[in-house]
């Protein structure tokens, strides 16, 4: 198949969270299965090895003409295509220290327009891809893609067969704008009802309404979208439930403790000795007492309402009165960032907080910690619990969405389970789960080793997911 994936983030070039990781990894897995894959994202800055193809396209948007250039980089069998326009060349992806960019609707509408021309204009080995491809759009940023596909191409006989599959990584972000902006999009008002939610232009709703198939990143979240986690779009999701798939994310080869370039030592399920060295190195790096026997808790997250940071804040006074260590890496809401700094000040021998974004430190926390806290309010899939399990770091999670689907609670009777998942979103649920985990850590070393190894041996590769995406695309063509 010819597959054209379009997203606002594409790791390792651009990333604020899991969207970037997934959009970077899935195309590689699809290419490895023999498909021709284009992964399209904005060119936020000059990327080494990505060359100007010479292809250009012009679009009329918001009252004036805009020209984009197409840059190309073939890596791991994937044709990475970066859309160049002056509005992308800024310090942040969605905003900077002054807030979100005021022209994001324009920037991502332009991405959709440019992406639809990419298979027609960007020369690959044997010329452009052509019209018989499947478009795979991601989140609200690409919600307008099927509007343009239907309104500007299909209505005049172009792309007669090409379907659009829309992937929902987070239904909490709609891309909602005042209705009068619709006039700037340069499509017929015939398409307004698809975009209209409560009188506002809603990009996510447009994608959900018009895409041939929908997919989200876990089976549980797919169900929850139709019931109570659709952020106001439950009815529409329920209406489209037969077209809505749930496919769990995988994790890429850069998250492997046996080869991870950010780690001071390496390890695997069969030989965990390198993990102890990673723990000691992390304690040293952060200026914590170097003690192998003390349980070290890690948190790496966007500090957002979604992530249930309140539960960690609620449990911390109890947790930090015990002989434990806690390391938090994250950035986001000011109230959470303030708490991270305050907690580290109050418990200098037990806690460290690192406010910011650091890919290397994220890897070293995953490797050096014993336990990982992820009490998300809702979680479409979640990657950090998957990374934790791969690194022998036992996750404690709220049983929601992808967390419920990937972290079975340890059952001493059967020897099954990879962590602890608590059912109700409440501080005492988290406290109780931590209590059980600490009891096992201190008192049952063999059981602890088993939980770690169960997680490390879990198949979290991308190939299984890629095979399901293949079937999804096939059904979209049908
Ligand atoms: P989400 O996409 O909702 O943020 P995921 O668990 O799917 O949640 O993915 C988060 C990704 O972002 C992981 O790769 C994680 O390591 C990374 N990440 C989040 N915050 C930071 C940070 N402050 N520094 C480095 N990496 C981070
Ligand atoms: C989103 C979700 C997260 C998911 C990621 C990648 O940001 O919040 O749960 O893992 O996308 O799909």
């Amino acid at each position: 198949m010819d597959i054209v994936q379009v997203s606002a983030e594409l790791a390792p070039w651009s990333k604020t969270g899991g969207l970037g990781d997934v959009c970077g990894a899935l195309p590689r897995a699809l290419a490895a299965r023999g498909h021709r894959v284009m992964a399209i994202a904005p060119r936020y800055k000059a990327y080494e090895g990505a060359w100007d193809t010479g292809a250009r396209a012009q679009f009329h948007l918001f009252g004036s003409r805009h020209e984009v250039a197409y840059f190309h980089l073939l890596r791991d069998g994937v044709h990475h295509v970066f859309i160049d326009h002056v509005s992308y060349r800024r310090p942040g992806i969605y905003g900077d220290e002054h807030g979100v960019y005021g022209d994001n609707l324009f920037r991502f509408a332009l991405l959709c327009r440019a992406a639809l021309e990419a298979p027609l204009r960007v020369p690959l080995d044997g010329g452009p891809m052509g019209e018989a491809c499947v478009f795979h759009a991601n989140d609200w940023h690409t919600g307008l893609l099927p509007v343009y596909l239907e309104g500007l191409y299909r209505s005049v006989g172009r792309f007669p067969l090409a379907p659009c599959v829309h992937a929902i990584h987070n239904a909490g972000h709609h891309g909602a704008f005042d209705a009068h902006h619709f006039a700037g999009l340069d499509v017929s008002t015939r398409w307004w009802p698809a975009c209209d939610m409560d009188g506002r232009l809603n990009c996510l709703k447009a994608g959900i309404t018009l895409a041939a198939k929908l997919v989200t990143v876990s089976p549980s979240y797919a169900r929850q979208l139709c019931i109570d986690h659709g952020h106001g779009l439950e009815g529409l999701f329920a209406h489209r439930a037969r077209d809505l798939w749930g496919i769990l994310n995988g994790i890429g080869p850069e998250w492997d403790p046996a080869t991870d370039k950010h780690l001071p030592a390496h390890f695997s399920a069969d030989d965990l000795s390198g993990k102890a060295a990673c723990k000691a190195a992390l304690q040293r790096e952060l200026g914590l007492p170097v003690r192998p026997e003390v349980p070290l808790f890690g948190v790496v997250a966007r500090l957002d309402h979604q992530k249930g940071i309140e539960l960690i804040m609620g449990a911390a006074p109890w947790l930090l009165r015990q002989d434990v260590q806690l390391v938090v890496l994250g950035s986001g809401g000011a109230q959470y960032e303030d708490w991270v700094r305050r907690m580290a000040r109050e418990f200098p021998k037990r806690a460290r907080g690192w406010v910011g974004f650091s890919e290397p430190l994220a890897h070293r926390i995953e490797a050096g910690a014993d336990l990982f806290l992820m009490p998300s309010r809702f979680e479409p899939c979640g990657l950090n619990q998957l990374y934790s399990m791969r690194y022998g770091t036992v996750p404690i999670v709220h049983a929601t969405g992808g967390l419920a689907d990937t972290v079975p609670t340890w059952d001493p009777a059967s020897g099954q389970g990879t962590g602890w998942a608590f059912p109700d979103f409440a501080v005492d649920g988290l406290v109780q789960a931590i209590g059980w985990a600490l009891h096992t850590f201190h008192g049952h070393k063999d059981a602890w080793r088993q939980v770690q190894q169960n997680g490390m041996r879990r198949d979290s590769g991308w190939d299984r997911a890629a095979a399901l995406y293949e079937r999804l695309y096939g059904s979209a063509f049908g």
Side-chain angles (χ1 to χ4, degrees), residues 131 133 135 146-164 191 210-212:
E131 296 193 355
C133 57
F135 288 98
V147 177
Y148 288 127
L149 179 61
E150 298 294 335
L152 301 182
Y153 294 87
R154 199 110 66 198
S155 56
V156 293
R158 308 291 309 278
F159 286 115
L161 297 175
C164 177
W191 301 99
L210 295 177

Side-chain angles (χ1 to χ4, degrees), residues 70-107:
Y70 295 82
F71 283 63
H72 176 258
L73 168 60
L74 179 63
R75 188 191 281 181
D76 298 324
V78 176
H79 297 281
H80 298 92
V81 173
F82 299 103
I83 309 296
D84 186 62
H85 183 266
V86 63
S87 68
Y88 298 136
R89 287 179 239 131
R90 295 180 190 165
I93 295 179
Y94 309 113
D96 56 23
E97 71 272 22
H98 306 297
V100 294
Y101 298 132
D103 56 353
N104 276 346
L105 176 60
F106 161 76
R107 295 167 79 228

Side-chain angles (χ1 to χ4, degrees), residues 15-19 21 170 249 255 300-302 306-307 329-331 354 356-359 362 366 374 379 381-385 387:
K15 161 176 169 178
T16 66
L19 175 67
D21 284 342
N170 194 330
N249 289 330
W255 290 93
V300 180
R302 291 182 297 108
Q306 175 191 345
K307 299 295 175 183
L329 165 64
S331 63
W354 210 98
F357 193 93
S358 167
E359 186 85 31
E366 289 292 6
M374 199 159 170
E379 196 61 79
C381 177
L383 295 174
N384 275 117
Q385 85 282 11
Y387 301 152

Side-chain angles (χ1 to χ4, degrees), residues 257-268:
T259 52
D260 190 328
K261 65 177 183 199
H262 300 295
L263 303 189
H266 293 113
F267 55 95
S268 65

Side-chain angles (χ1 to χ4, degrees), residues 377-396:
R377 195 173 252 106
F378 71 94
E379 196 61 79
C381 177
L383 295 174
N384 275 117
Q385 85 282 11
L386 300 179
Y387 301 152
S388 298
M389 290 189 280
R390 174 72 64 83
Y391 283 64
T393 299
V394 175
I396 296 176

